[in-house]
Structures are given as structure tokens and as C-alpha cells.
Amino acid sequence: MPQFVIEREMPGVGGLGQDELKGASQTSCAVLRDLGPEIQWVHSYVTDNKIYCIYRAPSEDLIRQHAQTAGFPANSISQVRNTIDPTTAD
């Protein structure tokens, strides 16, 4: 299944507490349950002013539907074409 990186511009998000991040996670998971098993949230990286999320889905449209329903921005969605890490150099 295709994997995507979603960039969410959310000023100040890095200052949110655990309870606020938990609430956002619960909102996302509830929408995912409603959308069905074709879309999966892998994990997210929270920085000072953005969240970078990794999702698996059959299309960018389903990612956008999740973001709109959950009330999260999806400023950029890019399909992952390949992955590399230090072992790639071997």
C-alpha cells in the first residue's frame, strides 16, 4: 500500500502537553475507524510548529478526507517513493 508523508503546519504544536496530544490522537483514531481499514496512521513527528505524519492509504484523496474530517491541516502530502538508511550505503 502506498505510504505518504503529511506536513501539518500548526504553530505552537511543540508546546502542547501530553493530554492535548492524546486528544488529537484520539480524534485521528476515531476518524480512521470510520474511514475503514484502508487508511493507517503509522506515526508522527512533532516539531515546534509542524507535525509530520506517516500514513498508509490507497490514495492522497483518502488522506485529505481524513484531515478534513478530523479538522487537521494537510498543507503538503507527498507519496514516499523509496526509503534509505545507513545500511543503504553498504
Side-chain angles (χ1 to χ4, degrees), residues 8 22-41 55-56 61-72:
R8 305 183 192 281
K22 181 179 180 179
S25 297
Q26 289 171 336
T27 298
S28 179
C29 288
V31 173
L32 289 169
R33 277 191 299 277
D34 290 343
L35 292 176
E38 288 190 323
I39 182 169
Q40 302 168 350
W41 174 25
Y55 275 70
R56 292 186 187 110
D61 289 339
L62 192 55
I63 302 268
R64 289 198 185 283
Q65 183 180 353
H66 170 269
Q68 184 176 23
T69 303
F72 300 135

